[in-house]
Each structure stands twice: as structure tokens, then as C-alpha cells.
Amino acid sequence: MKTASNLIPEFEKLFREKLQLNNCRLQKKRQENNYEITTPAKDIFLMYWCEFPEIKLIYQPVGIRTKQTILYERAIRDHINFCVSSVRDKLRSSLITLDKEN
């Protein structure tokens, strides 16, 4: 059966694909469950979690926060929500399939 640790690579793959649509870059940090997201406008966001899927996103103040920064932040949050929902739906459907087999 899939656990949160199995779902994280699926989440990360899907999230990377979504970020590429906005020309953003995702870099995994050395510390477990920590990522850095860089936008084309050079804004930096830190994404992390202690308990997946409760994901935190923090803007790193590297300059002036602009309207474009806010748009990227909304898009990133939407991508996070979409990817978490997709991974959860996959888990539910696999659990239903396992339930039917038993």
C-alpha cells in the first residue's frame, strides 16, 4: 500500500511539471522536505513540510515584492493544491481498488 513517503516522489514529479509551465525552477535543498522555487523574476520561495501534505510556502525577501511576485505566489500555491489533490486522488483510487480485490 502507498504511504506518504511513496507519494512524495509522485508529488515532486507532478509539481516540477506544473512549475515548468510558469518557467519556474525547483531545487531540492539538502535538508529533507525542503525546496527552493525560483521564478523568472528572480523571486525565491521556500517550500517545506513536516507532515506531508501540509505544505508551507514562504517568500524569501530578496528585493521588492511586486504584483508579478504576487501572481507567481498564487500560481505556485495553486500548483501545490492541484498536485496534493491529484496525489490524494491516486491514493484513494488505489485503496478502493485494493478494497474491491479483498
Side-chain angles (χ1 to χ4, degrees):
M1 181 163 62
K2 293 185 179 187
T3 61
S5 62
N6 299 82
L7 296 176
I8 291 170
E10 288 182 43
F11 167 80
E12 185 180 324
K13 181 182 177 213
L14 184 58
F15 188 61
R16 277 184 194 279
E17 290 170 4
K18 294 300 250 174
L19 284 179
Q20 285 176 351
L21 296 173
N22 292 101
N23 297 317
C24 294
R25 188 172 56 96
L26 180 69
Q27 179 181 1
K28 191 169 187 170
K29 304 305 273 178
R30 289 181 190 225
Q31 192 174 4
E32 190 176 357
N33 303 330
N34 279 284
Y35 299 81
E36 182 179 279
I37 302 164
T38 308
T39 69
K42 305 297 182 220
D43 292 312
I44 298 174
F45 295 89
L46 298 180
M47 179 179 78
Y48 68 95
W49 61 82
C50 296
E51 287 281 328
F52 187 81
E54 295 173 26
I55 299 171
K56 308 278 189 251
L57 183 69
I58 300 172
Y59 172 71
Q60 288 298 114
V62 292
I64 298 172
R65 196 173 168 119
T66 64
K67 288 181 182 179
Q68 189 176 16
T69 304
I70 294 166
L71 291 176
Y72 276 114
E73 184 173 5
R74 282 187 195 142
I76 292 168
R77 288 186 190 282
D78 287 345
H79 293 332
I80 290 170
N81 292 334
F82 173 82
C83 295
V84 167
S85 294
S86 294
V87 170
R88 279 185 176 163
D89 290 346
K90 249 187 191 180
L91 175 63
R92 283 189 195 114
S93 66
S94 65
L95 288 175
I96 290 170
T97 303
L98 282 173
D99 215 24
K100 287 180 180 178
E101 290 175 0
N102 294 330

